[in-house]
Amino acid sequence: MPSLKNISIAGENSLIVNFGDARTQIISQSIAAEVAATAAQLRTSLGAQLIDLVPSYASLLVIYDPFKTDHHAVRAAIRRALADPIDTDISQSGALVTLPVYYSTESGPDLKALADNAGLSIEAVINIHQQSEYSVYAIGFAPGFAYLGELDPRIAAPRLATPRQKVPRGAVAIADRQTAVYPAESPGGWNLIGLCPELMFDPSAEPSMPVQVGDRVRFNAIDRETYLGMGGLL
Amino acid sequence: MTTNSGFKVIKPGIFSLIEDAGRFGQHGIGLTTGGPLDREAFRWANRLCGDQQTAAAIEITVGGLVLESTVNTTIAVTGATIPLSINRQSRALWQSHQVKVGDRIELGFASSGSRGYLAVAGGFTINPIFNSAATVPREALGGLHRDGTALQAGDFIPCSQSHSAAQQRVPDSHRPDYSSNSAVLRVVLGYQQQAFSNTSKQLFFSSDYKVTESSDRMGFRLKGPGIKSTLDGILSEGICLGAIQVPADGQPIVLLNDRQTIGGYPKLGSVLSLDIGKLAQLLPGAVLRFEAISIEQAHNLLLLDQQRFADTVLEQVGLDE
């Protein structure tokens, strides 16, 4: 069922489309698909009037050039995009990307504590993390940082009380019901469970990211040798 | 163009960054905009060096930059009041100057305002990354080395040679006044203002807020009467330039050029882009007031500002000045 949508002013050259009510904090794959489809349509229909788009969990920020158009015209373009029926069946939308992960206590310093707190074995945590197919809900925080959801509630875990100063590039992490791969070394407060040898952000590659909002992701366990063989660092 | 024409960085100063108009169309992969914090001073510096508005220039925070020229060209410095000298002779800001091979261009430290802009005819020749030369240290992206680093002693910033052009200056009436340690910022209210009580909004628009030390290119944290939202947090969503975000402690943060692209704090609205330069020139302790305007007023102000800039005739300067 299509979600309830609202178009509102965010700033002098920005409108925000809310898919559903931000207060209810509903994360759903069908909403993510609607956001991605609306973004794709607006990119075509607004053309040079568009400065940028920021898709997120249940919203789309539309930044336009106020010297080429105005908020009434952009609102109308958004309404037209929203009126077009889209296929929100997730099996039809977005590419499926598989990311290899070396799960271990060596590569994932929080894996044991997370398993203990969840009352599960380390193997069970790894299996549950691999069993789900995740949607890319948003990209932000840092270049190439993709927010993936939703995580199985059995392995959900709050952020660390004290964030780490240094999380390594490729760290596969969990926070609440989300999971992600750190695209570069950075500070971070998520629970680390493994390492992915693939570059999540490479400014010299085209495209610079293996995933985009609306894509689906699966994780696939690899062993230490395979990880190192793929260029992974420990 | 020869590769040995440009400027040697003798001293980088406190914090000097290559910036062009900014990086656009890349929010989808999490890249922020970057670009000059004081867009007005930036575009005047470029205008003085030719009919260019978005060419790569240097944003100088506080001062201390010393360059040596290996090129004959035209430069101009605008923005904060930072003493400028060429070969130890004092030169005017907001005015174009000829420089020759071997000239030493020296900037002192700001007596009012905090960010200056040094532009050169034709712009600095920077290899862009994601279509922009803008330096974003937080993202390790852009600038001279394309990796987000600020200018360092020993760097060489290339540019083309340019035939000597008439010296010109920006009319006094068009130069912003940075001497006041306060500003009134105009705000377009956003839809999440509904999440703030009328009392909170009245308090926000009738109180003084101070700029704190925790202020940088990402955002300015303010201190003043706390305002409360009825929302604890929202699903992370896109953040536009100038957004006034209010975390749980009630102290507003104005998000600037290097802001994170998405975030989950409620927002009151967004500061008008024309006022962001005013804010970025202020030092910790400066006093701010906010004034609500409608989207129609905001668009009128933007169009009028663009027209005024286009219609302004630069003043010609005699050779002995």
Side-chain angles (χ1 to χ4, degrees), chain A residues 8-10 12 14 16 18 23 25-26 51-54 56 59 64 67 71 139 141 143-144 208, chain B residues 25-29 31 138 190-191 231 233-237 240 262 270 272-273 295-296 299 302 306:
Chain A
S8 347
I9 287 167
E12 68 185 27
S14 309
I16 189 159
N18 282 105
R23 293 169 196 239
Q25 312 235 340
I26 293 170
I51 290 180
D52 219 332
L53 287 169
V54 190
S56 191
S59 64
Y64 57 89
F67 300 110
H71 70 109
I139 292 169
F141 168 66
S208 51
Chain B
Q26 307 295 342
H27 284 337
I29 53 170
L31 304 187
R138 188 173 62 80
Y191 72 104
L231 301 170
I234 50 170
L235 273 179
S236 282
E237 61 181 27
C240 60
I262 62 172
S270 303
L272 186 72
S273 59
I295 186 78
E296 280 74 21
H299 280 205
L302 290 173
Q306 190 196 43

mmCIF file of all heavy atoms in Angstrom, chain A residues 8-10 12 14 16 18 23 25-26 51-54 56 59 64 67 71 139 141 143-144 208, chain B residues 25-29 31 138 190-191 231 233-237 240 262 270 272-273 295-296 299 302 306:
data_model
loop_
_atom_site.group_PDB
_atom_site.id
_atom_site.type_symbol
_atom_site.label_atom_id
_atom_site.label_comp_id
_atom_site.label_asym_id
_atom_site.label_seq_id
_atom_site.Cartn_x
_atom_site.Cartn_y
_atom_site.Cartn_z
ATOM 1 N N SER A 8 6.938 19.515 2.146
ATOM 2 C CA SER A 8 7.045 20.731 2.963
ATOM 3 C C SER A 8 8.330 21.479 2.683
ATOM 4 O O SER A 8 9.274 20.931 2.125
ATOM 5 C CB SER A 8 6.996 20.419 4.458
ATOM 6 O OG SER A 8 6.581 19.136 4.725
ATOM 7 N N ILE A 9 8.327 22.742 3.127
ATOM 8 C CA ILE A 9 9.502 23.588 2.949
ATOM 9 C C ILE A 9 10.566 23.208 3.974
ATOM 10 O O ILE A 9 10.273 23.088 5.165
ATOM 11 C CB ILE A 9 9.099 25.071 3.109
ATOM 12 C CG1 ILE A 9 8.296 25.501 1.871
ATOM 13 C CG2 ILE A 9 10.322 25.980 3.303
ATOM 14 C CD1 ILE A 9 7.577 26.813 2.035
ATOM 15 N N ALA A 10 11.800 23.026 3.501
ATOM 16 C CA ALA A 10 12.914 22.753 4.417
ATOM 17 C C ALA A 10 13.844 23.953 4.487
ATOM 18 O O ALA A 10 14.478 24.204 5.507
ATOM 19 C CB ALA A 10 13.688 21.513 3.981
ATOM 20 N N GLU A 12 15.365 27.722 1.893
ATOM 21 C CA GLU A 12 15.094 28.662 0.798
ATOM 22 C C GLU A 12 15.073 27.983 -0.573
ATOM 23 O O GLU A 12 14.457 28.483 -1.492
ATOM 24 C CB GLU A 12 16.147 29.775 0.804
ATOM 25 C CG GLU A 12 17.535 29.251 0.430
ATOM 26 C CD GLU A 12 18.638 30.285 0.541
ATOM 27 O OE1 GLU A 12 18.506 31.217 1.338
ATOM 28 O OE2 GLU A 12 19.637 30.133 -0.184
ATOM 29 N N SER A 14 14.917 24.299 -0.807
ATOM 30 C CA SER A 14 14.740 22.877 -0.539
ATOM 31 C C SER A 14 13.329 22.548 -0.093
ATOM 32 O O SER A 14 12.751 23.242 0.742
ATOM 33 C CB SER A 14 15.690 22.422 0.574
ATOM 34 O OG SER A 14 17.005 22.816 0.293
ATOM 35 N N ILE A 16 11.107 19.056 1.283
ATOM 36 C CA ILE A 16 11.314 17.694 1.742
ATOM 37 C C ILE A 16 10.017 16.917 1.580
ATOM 38 O O ILE A 16 8.934 17.421 1.885
ATOM 39 C CB ILE A 16 11.868 17.640 3.188
ATOM 40 C CG1 ILE A 16 12.281 16.208 3.529
ATOM 41 C CG2 ILE A 16 10.900 18.213 4.198
ATOM 42 C CD1 ILE A 16 13.276 16.099 4.667
ATOM 43 N N ASN A 18 8.067 13.752 2.793
ATOM 44 C CA ASN A 18 8.031 12.717 3.835
ATOM 45 C C ASN A 18 7.077 11.627 3.409
ATOM 46 O O ASN A 18 5.929 11.899 3.057
ATOM 47 C CB ASN A 18 7.601 13.317 5.176
ATOM 48 C CG ASN A 18 8.732 14.065 5.835
ATOM 49 O OD1 ASN A 18 8.754 15.283 5.841
ATOM 50 N ND2 ASN A 18 9.704 13.327 6.337
ATOM 51 N N ARG A 23 7.570 10.864 12.802
ATOM 52 C CA ARG A 23 7.465 10.572 14.244
ATOM 53 C C ARG A 23 7.255 9.090 14.509
ATOM 54 O O ARG A 23 7.643 8.591 15.555
ATOM 55 C CB ARG A 23 6.268 11.303 14.849
ATOM 56 C CG ARG A 23 6.406 12.794 14.870
ATOM 57 C CD ARG A 23 5.046 13.389 15.229
ATOM 58 N NE ARG A 23 5.025 14.797 14.893
ATOM 59 C CZ ARG A 23 4.795 15.755 15.783
ATOM 60 N NH1 ARG A 23 4.550 15.459 17.033
ATOM 61 N NH2 ARG A 23 4.789 17.010 15.412
ATOM 62 N N GLN A 25 8.567 6.746 12.899
ATOM 63 C CA GLN A 25 9.847 6.084 12.709
ATOM 64 C C GLN A 25 9.701 4.720 12.056
ATOM 65 O O GLN A 25 10.410 3.782 12.401
ATOM 66 C CB GLN A 25 10.573 5.926 14.050
ATOM 67 C CG GLN A 25 10.596 7.194 14.846
ATOM 68 C CD GLN A 25 12.000 7.609 15.229
ATOM 69 O OE1 GLN A 25 12.919 6.831 15.230
ATOM 70 N NE2 GLN A 25 12.175 8.871 15.517
ATOM 71 N N ILE A 26 8.769 4.624 11.129
ATOM 72 C CA ILE A 26 8.603 3.338 10.454
ATOM 73 C C ILE A 26 9.672 3.192 9.372
ATOM 74 O O ILE A 26 9.869 4.079 8.558
ATOM 75 C CB ILE A 26 7.200 3.229 9.811
ATOM 76 C CG1 ILE A 26 6.137 3.176 10.897
ATOM 77 C CG2 ILE A 26 7.116 2.007 8.900
ATOM 78 C CD1 ILE A 26 4.730 3.306 10.378
ATOM 79 N N ILE A 51 19.515 20.810 -8.007
ATOM 80 C CA ILE A 51 20.900 20.922 -7.533
ATOM 81 C C ILE A 51 21.340 19.602 -6.918
ATOM 82 O O ILE A 51 22.414 19.103 -7.202
ATOM 83 C CB ILE A 51 21.046 22.098 -6.535
ATOM 84 C CG1 ILE A 51 20.898 23.426 -7.288
ATOM 85 C CG2 ILE A 51 22.385 22.034 -5.810
ATOM 86 C CD1 ILE A 51 21.030 24.656 -6.422
ATOM 87 N N ASP A 52 20.498 19.016 -6.079
ATOM 88 C CA ASP A 52 20.861 17.740 -5.472
ATOM 89 C C ASP A 52 19.632 17.084 -4.845
ATOM 90 O O ASP A 52 18.604 17.749 -4.634
ATOM 91 C CB ASP A 52 21.955 17.932 -4.408
ATOM 92 C CG ASP A 52 23.002 16.811 -4.432
ATOM 93 O OD1 ASP A 52 22.645 15.684 -4.831
ATOM 94 O OD2 ASP A 52 24.152 17.075 -4.058
ATOM 95 N N LEU A 53 19.779 15.799 -4.547
ATOM 96 C CA LEU A 53 18.720 15.033 -3.891
ATOM 97 C C LEU A 53 19.341 14.278 -2.735
ATOM 98 O O LEU A 53 20.454 13.758 -2.867
ATOM 99 C CB LEU A 53 18.146 13.987 -4.853
ATOM 100 C CG LEU A 53 17.261 14.471 -5.998
ATOM 101 C CD1 LEU A 53 17.039 13.315 -6.974
ATOM 102 C CD2 LEU A 53 15.929 14.976 -5.476
ATOM 103 N N VAL A 54 18.640 14.207 -1.600
ATOM 104 C CA VAL A 54 19.124 13.392 -0.483
ATOM 105 C C VAL A 54 18.036 12.394 -0.089
ATOM 106 O O VAL A 54 17.135 12.720 0.680
ATOM 107 C CB VAL A 54 19.517 14.241 0.749
ATOM 108 C CG1 VAL A 54 20.248 13.369 1.771
ATOM 109 C CG2 VAL A 54 20.373 15.431 0.364
ATOM 110 N N SER A 56 16.548 9.327 2.005
ATOM 111 C CA SER A 56 16.837 8.698 3.289
ATOM 112 C C SER A 56 15.747 7.683 3.595
ATOM 113 O O SER A 56 14.966 7.338 2.720
ATOM 114 C CB SER A 56 16.985 9.761 4.373
ATOM 115 O OG SER A 56 17.508 9.181 5.548
ATOM 116 N N SER A 59 12.225 9.706 3.592
ATOM 117 C CA SER A 59 12.133 11.093 3.138
ATOM 118 C C SER A 59 13.050 11.316 1.946
ATOM 119 O O SER A 59 13.969 10.530 1.704
ATOM 120 C CB SER A 59 12.526 12.052 4.273
ATOM 121 O OG SER A 59 13.886 11.855 4.608
ATOM 122 N N TYR A 64 16.707 22.592 -5.118
ATOM 123 C CA TYR A 64 16.543 23.120 -6.477
ATOM 124 C C TYR A 64 17.265 24.453 -6.614
ATOM 125 O O TYR A 64 17.664 25.070 -5.628
ATOM 126 C CB TYR A 64 15.056 23.256 -6.825
ATOM 127 C CG TYR A 64 14.274 24.124 -5.859
ATOM 128 C CD1 TYR A 64 14.171 25.507 -6.050
ATOM 129 C CD2 TYR A 64 13.663 23.567 -4.735
ATOM 130 C CE1 TYR A 64 13.461 26.299 -5.163
ATOM 131 C CE2 TYR A 64 12.961 24.362 -3.839
ATOM 132 C CZ TYR A 64 12.864 25.724 -4.061
ATOM 133 O OH TYR A 64 12.177 26.517 -3.173
ATOM 134 N N PHE A 67 17.174 30.208 -8.922
ATOM 135 C CA PHE A 67 17.292 31.156 -10.028
ATOM 136 C C PHE A 67 16.737 30.557 -11.328
ATOM 137 O O PHE A 67 16.640 31.229 -12.337
ATOM 138 C CB PHE A 67 18.753 31.588 -10.215
ATOM 139 C CG PHE A 67 19.296 32.253 -8.987
ATOM 140 C CD1 PHE A 67 20.262 31.624 -8.216
ATOM 141 C CD2 PHE A 67 18.815 33.486 -8.574
ATOM 142 C CE1 PHE A 67 20.745 32.221 -7.063
ATOM 143 C CE2 PHE A 67 19.287 34.095 -7.427
ATOM 144 C CZ PHE A 67 20.267 33.456 -6.658
ATOM 145 N N HIS A 71 9.478 27.235 -5.661
ATOM 146 C CA HIS A 71 8.976 26.096 -4.880
ATOM 147 C C HIS A 71 7.625 25.590 -5.367
ATOM 148 O O HIS A 71 7.307 24.424 -5.196
ATOM 149 C CB HIS A 71 8.982 26.406 -3.380
ATOM 150 C CG HIS A 71 7.986 27.403 -2.931
ATOM 151 N ND1 HIS A 71 6.892 27.062 -2.191
ATOM 152 C CD2 HIS A 71 7.919 28.746 -3.116
ATOM 153 C CE1 HIS A 71 6.191 28.158 -1.927
ATOM 154 N NE2 HIS A 71 6.799 29.179 -2.470
ATOM 155 N N ILE A 139 22.410 6.827 2.574
ATOM 156 C CA ILE A 139 23.868 6.927 2.510
ATOM 157 C C ILE A 139 24.230 8.287 3.076
ATOM 158 O O ILE A 139 23.675 9.304 2.669
ATOM 159 C CB ILE A 139 24.372 6.743 1.061
ATOM 160 C CG1 ILE A 139 24.120 5.294 0.614
ATOM 161 C CG2 ILE A 139 25.860 7.091 0.951
ATOM 162 C CD1 ILE A 139 24.330 5.028 -0.847
ATOM 163 N N PHE A 141 26.577 10.260 6.703
ATOM 164 C CA PHE A 141 27.517 10.222 7.841
ATOM 165 C C PHE A 141 28.934 10.426 7.322
ATOM 166 O O PHE A 141 29.646 11.303 7.776
ATOM 167 C CB PHE A 141 27.383 8.916 8.631
ATOM 168 C CG PHE A 141 28.498 8.690 9.631
ATOM 169 C CD1 PHE A 141 28.636 9.530 10.727
ATOM 170 C CD2 PHE A 141 29.421 7.658 9.470
ATOM 171 C CE1 PHE A 141 29.668 9.338 11.648
ATOM 172 C CE2 PHE A 141 30.457 7.468 10.387
ATOM 173 C CZ PHE A 141 30.571 8.312 11.472
ATOM 174 N N PRO A 143 31.395 9.702 3.376
ATOM 175 C CA PRO A 143 31.257 9.261 1.989
ATOM 176 C C PRO A 143 31.192 7.743 1.907
ATOM 177 O O PRO A 143 32.055 7.050 2.451
ATOM 178 C CB PRO A 143 32.542 9.779 1.317
ATOM 179 C CG PRO A 143 32.972 10.928 2.159
ATOM 180 C CD PRO A 143 32.553 10.594 3.553
ATOM 181 N N GLY A 144 30.146 7.234 1.279
ATOM 182 C CA GLY A 144 30.034 5.802 1.069
ATOM 183 C C GLY A 144 29.471 5.003 2.224
ATOM 184 O O GLY A 144 29.397 3.781 2.151
ATOM 185 N N SER A 208 31.638 5.027 -7.767
ATOM 186 C CA SER A 208 32.536 5.078 -6.616
ATOM 187 C C SER A 208 32.058 4.212 -5.456
ATOM 188 O O SER A 208 32.789 3.982 -4.514
ATOM 189 C CB SER A 208 32.717 6.521 -6.164
ATOM 190 O OG SER A 208 31.461 7.119 -6.004
ATOM 191 N N GLY B 25 25.474 17.661 -6.501
ATOM 192 C CA GLY B 25 24.980 16.455 -7.162
ATOM 193 C C GLY B 25 25.570 15.169 -6.602
ATOM 194 O O GLY B 25 25.391 14.109 -7.187
ATOM 195 N N GLN B 26 26.268 15.242 -5.476
ATOM 196 C CA GLN B 26 26.932 14.052 -4.915
ATOM 197 C C GLN B 26 26.404 13.670 -3.532
ATOM 198 O O GLN B 26 27.021 12.858 -2.851
ATOM 199 C CB GLN B 26 28.453 14.276 -4.839
ATOM 200 C CG GLN B 26 29.098 14.718 -6.133
ATOM 201 C CD GLN B 26 29.025 13.659 -7.239
ATOM 202 O OE1 GLN B 26 28.799 12.485 -6.956
ATOM 203 N NE2 GLN B 26 29.188 14.082 -8.476
ATOM 204 N N HIS B 27 25.289 14.267 -3.113
ATOM 205 C CA HIS B 27 24.743 13.911 -1.800
ATOM 206 C C HIS B 27 24.356 12.431 -1.746
ATOM 207 O O HIS B 27 24.385 11.818 -0.690
ATOM 208 C CB HIS B 27 23.512 14.756 -1.477
ATOM 209 C CG HIS B 27 23.833 16.164 -1.074
ATOM 210 N ND1 HIS B 27 25.060 16.544 -0.567
ATOM 211 C CD2 HIS B 27 23.079 17.293 -1.101
ATOM 212 C CE1 HIS B 27 25.034 17.845 -0.294
ATOM 213 N NE2 HIS B 27 23.857 18.317 -0.625
ATOM 214 N N GLY B 28 23.998 11.875 -2.904
ATOM 215 C CA GLY B 28 23.564 10.473 -2.964
ATOM 216 C C GLY B 28 24.628 9.488 -2.508
ATOM 217 O O GLY B 28 24.307 8.374 -2.090
ATOM 218 N N ILE B 29 25.907 9.866 -2.599
ATOM 219 C CA ILE B 29 26.954 8.979 -2.075
ATOM 220 C C ILE B 29 27.540 9.547 -0.779
ATOM 221 O O ILE B 29 28.613 9.146 -0.346
ATOM 222 C CB ILE B 29 28.069 8.692 -3.112
ATOM 223 C CG1 ILE B 29 28.652 9.979 -3.686
ATOM 224 C CG2 ILE B 29 27.543 7.809 -4.228
ATOM 225 C CD1 ILE B 29 29.908 9.738 -4.532
ATOM 226 N N LEU B 31 28.430 12.732 -0.041
ATOM 227 C CA LEU B 31 29.380 13.847 -0.066
ATOM 228 C C LEU B 31 28.665 15.165 0.206
ATOM 229 O O LEU B 31 27.602 15.436 -0.333
ATOM 230 C CB LEU B 31 30.084 13.934 -1.428
ATOM 231 C CG LEU B 31 30.824 12.687 -1.892
ATOM 232 C CD1 LEU B 31 31.616 12.983 -3.159
ATOM 233 C CD2 LEU B 31 31.750 12.174 -0.808
ATOM 234 N N ARG B 138 37.040 16.876 6.473
ATOM 235 C CA ARG B 138 36.322 15.784 7.145
ATOM 236 C C ARG B 138 36.125 14.575 6.224
ATOM 237 O O ARG B 138 36.069 13.435 6.681
ATOM 238 C CB ARG B 138 34.959 16.319 7.604
ATOM 239 C CG ARG B 138 34.153 15.402 8.467
ATOM 240 C CD ARG B 138 32.916 16.115 8.985
ATOM 241 N NE ARG B 138 32.014 16.555 7.932
ATOM 242 C CZ ARG B 138 31.147 15.765 7.311
ATOM 243 N NH1 ARG B 138 31.047 14.507 7.632
ATOM 244 N NH2 ARG B 138 30.360 16.243 6.367
ATOM 245 N N GLY B 190 11.054 25.887 8.663
ATOM 246 C CA GLY B 190 10.828 24.590 8.033
ATOM 247 C C GLY B 190 9.616 23.914 8.653
ATOM 248 O O GLY B 190 9.066 24.391 9.643
ATOM 249 N N TYR B 191 9.246 22.791 8.059
ATOM 250 C CA TYR B 191 8.014 22.135 8.519
ATOM 251 C C TYR B 191 8.139 21.599 9.937
ATOM 252 O O TYR B 191 7.141 21.475 10.635
ATOM 253 C CB TYR B 191 7.651 21.006 7.557
ATOM 254 C CG TYR B 191 8.557 19.817 7.657
ATOM 255 C CD1 TYR B 191 8.140 18.654 8.291
ATOM 256 C CD2 TYR B 191 9.840 19.866 7.152
ATOM 257 C CE1 TYR B 191 8.983 17.570 8.401
ATOM 258 C CE2 TYR B 191 10.693 18.794 7.257
ATOM 259 C CZ TYR B 191 10.259 17.647 7.886
ATOM 260 O OH TYR B 191 11.093 16.583 8.018
ATOM 261 N N LEU B 231 9.751 16.357 19.722
ATOM 262 C CA LEU B 231 10.329 15.134 19.148
ATOM 263 C C LEU B 231 11.668 14.865 19.811
ATOM 264 O O LEU B 231 12.483 15.763 19.940
ATOM 265 C CB LEU B 231 10.570 15.319 17.649
ATOM 266 C CG LEU B 231 9.386 15.645 16.758
ATOM 267 C CD1 LEU B 231 9.859 16.036 15.370
ATOM 268 C CD2 LEU B 231 8.464 14.451 16.677
ATOM 269 N N GLY B 233 13.764 12.560 18.561
ATOM 270 C CA GLY B 233 14.605 12.365 17.391
ATOM 271 C C GLY B 233 13.680 11.968 16.277
ATOM 272 O O GLY B 233 12.515 11.644 16.503
ATOM 273 N N ILE B 234 14.183 12.039 15.068
ATOM 274 C CA ILE B 234 13.385 11.660 13.914
ATOM 275 C C ILE B 234 14.210 10.661 13.128
ATOM 276 O O ILE B 234 15.391 10.509 13.376
ATOM 277 C CB ILE B 234 13.064 12.887 13.043
ATOM 278 C CG1 ILE B 234 14.360 13.668 12.756
ATOM 279 C CG2 ILE B 234 12.037 13.770 13.707
ATOM 280 C CD1 ILE B 234 14.218 14.741 11.727
ATOM 281 N N LEU B 235 13.586 10.004 12.191
ATOM 282 C CA LEU B 235 14.354 9.161 11.273
ATOM 283 C C LEU B 235 15.317 10.075 10.544
ATOM 284 O O LEU B 235 14.937 11.148 10.108
ATOM 285 C CB LEU B 235 13.411 8.541 10.240
ATOM 286 C CG LEU B 235 12.719 7.244 10.587
ATOM 287 C CD1 LEU B 235 11.815 6.836 9.442
ATOM 288 C CD2 LEU B 235 13.730 6.156 10.871
ATOM 289 N N SER B 236 16.565 9.654 10.404
ATOM 290 C CA SER B 236 17.548 10.506 9.737
ATOM 291 C C SER B 236 17.039 10.930 8.368
ATOM 292 O O SER B 236 16.512 10.124 7.617
ATOM 293 C CB SER B 236 18.866 9.748 9.579
ATOM 294 O OG SER B 236 19.536 9.740 10.813
ATOM 295 N N GLU B 237 17.210 12.224 8.076
ATOM 296 C CA GLU B 237 16.743 12.756 6.794
ATOM 297 C C GLU B 237 17.728 13.807 6.294
ATOM 298 O O GLU B 237 18.590 14.271 7.046
ATOM 299 C CB GLU B 237 15.350 13.373 6.966
ATOM 300 C CG GLU B 237 15.340 14.513 7.954
ATOM 301 C CD GLU B 237 13.970 15.142 8.174
ATOM 302 O OE1 GLU B 237 12.948 14.466 8.004
ATOM 303 O OE2 GLU B 237 13.938 16.334 8.526
ATOM 304 N N CYS B 240 19.599 20.575 4.694
ATOM 305 C CA CYS B 240 20.015 21.589 3.724
ATOM 306 C C CYS B 240 20.929 22.624 4.384
ATOM 307 O O CYS B 240 21.051 22.690 5.610
ATOM 308 C CB CYS B 240 18.815 22.224 3.041
ATOM 309 S SG CYS B 240 17.687 23.049 4.132
ATOM 310 N N ILE B 262 22.950 13.791 6.113
ATOM 311 C CA ILE B 262 21.696 13.377 6.749
ATOM 312 C C ILE B 262 21.863 13.407 8.270
ATOM 313 O O ILE B 262 22.973 13.288 8.780
ATOM 314 C CB ILE B 262 21.217 11.967 6.302
ATOM 315 C CG1 ILE B 262 22.220 10.876 6.689
ATOM 316 C CG2 ILE B 262 20.947 11.909 4.816
ATOM 317 C CD1 ILE B 262 21.696 9.469 6.436
ATOM 318 N N SER B 270 15.830 27.096 8.311
ATOM 319 C CA SER B 270 17.161 27.250 7.741
ATOM 320 C C SER B 270 17.521 28.723 7.608
ATOM 321 O O SER B 270 16.696 29.534 7.177
ATOM 322 C CB SER B 270 17.227 26.617 6.351
ATOM 323 O OG SER B 270 16.867 25.275 6.426
ATOM 324 N N LEU B 272 18.945 31.919 5.912
ATOM 325 C CA LEU B 272 19.037 32.378 4.523
ATOM 326 C C LEU B 272 20.506 32.324 4.086
ATOM 327 O O LEU B 272 21.387 32.792 4.812
ATOM 328 C CB LEU B 272 18.501 33.806 4.446
ATOM 329 C CG LEU B 272 18.376 34.421 3.058
ATOM 330 C CD1 LEU B 272 17.225 33.779 2.283
ATOM 331 C CD2 LEU B 272 18.179 35.925 3.150
ATOM 332 N N SER B 273 20.761 31.802 2.866
ATOM 333 C CA SER B 273 22.150 31.649 2.415
ATOM 334 C C SER B 273 22.894 32.984 2.424
ATOM 335 O O SER B 273 24.093 33.018 2.691
ATOM 336 C CB SER B 273 22.191 31.016 1.023
ATOM 337 O OG SER B 273 21.493 31.820 0.104
ATOM 338 N N ILE B 295 9.122 32.085 2.595
ATOM 339 C CA ILE B 295 9.838 31.565 1.428
ATOM 340 C C ILE B 295 9.781 32.595 0.280
ATOM 341 O O ILE B 295 10.752 32.754 -0.464
ATOM 342 C CB ILE B 295 9.271 30.176 1.007
ATOM 343 C CG1 ILE B 295 10.092 29.547 -0.116
ATOM 344 C CG2 ILE B 295 7.816 30.233 0.581
ATOM 345 C CD1 ILE B 295 11.369 28.922 0.314
ATOM 346 N N GLU B 296 8.661 33.307 0.151
ATOM 347 C CA GLU B 296 8.554 34.325 -0.908
ATOM 348 C C GLU B 296 9.566 35.447 -0.665
ATOM 349 O O GLU B 296 10.236 35.897 -1.582
ATOM 350 C CB GLU B 296 7.133 34.906 -0.979
ATOM 351 C CG GLU B 296 6.132 34.029 -1.715
ATOM 352 C CD GLU B 296 5.698 32.801 -0.923
ATOM 353 O OE1 GLU B 296 5.845 32.801 0.328
ATOM 354 O OE2 GLU B 296 5.235 31.830 -1.561
ATOM 355 N N HIS B 299 13.035 34.157 -1.606
ATOM 356 C CA HIS B 299 13.294 34.142 -3.052
ATOM 357 C C HIS B 299 13.504 35.560 -3.595
ATOM 358 O O HIS B 299 14.383 35.784 -4.415
ATOM 359 C CB HIS B 299 12.162 33.430 -3.794
ATOM 360 C CG HIS B 299 12.291 31.933 -3.740
ATOM 361 N ND1 HIS B 299 11.751 31.097 -4.672
ATOM 362 C CD2 HIS B 299 12.936 31.132 -2.866
ATOM 363 C CE1 HIS B 299 12.051 29.833 -4.367
ATOM 364 N NE2 HIS B 299 12.757 29.848 -3.263
ATOM 365 N N LEU B 302 16.983 36.686 -2.696
ATOM 366 C CA LEU B 302 18.010 36.013 -3.506
ATOM 367 C C LEU B 302 18.087 36.631 -4.896
ATOM 368 O O LEU B 302 19.169 36.903 -5.415
ATOM 369 C CB LEU B 302 17.695 34.515 -3.637
ATOM 370 C CG LEU B 302 17.848 33.662 -2.383
ATOM 371 C CD1 LEU B 302 17.337 32.243 -2.631
ATOM 372 C CD2 LEU B 302 19.308 33.612 -1.942
ATOM 373 N N GLN B 306 21.199 38.817 -6.518
ATOM 374 C CA GLN B 306 21.862 38.414 -7.765
ATOM 375 C C GLN B 306 21.888 39.590 -8.756
ATOM 376 O O GLN B 306 22.896 39.858 -9.397
ATOM 377 C CB GLN B 306 21.115 37.225 -8.369
ATOM 378 C CG GLN B 306 21.860 36.576 -9.529
ATOM 379 C CD GLN B 306 20.965 35.667 -10.354
ATOM 380 O OE1 GLN B 306 19.833 35.999 -10.658
ATOM 381 N NE2 GLN B 306 21.492 34.508 -10.698
#
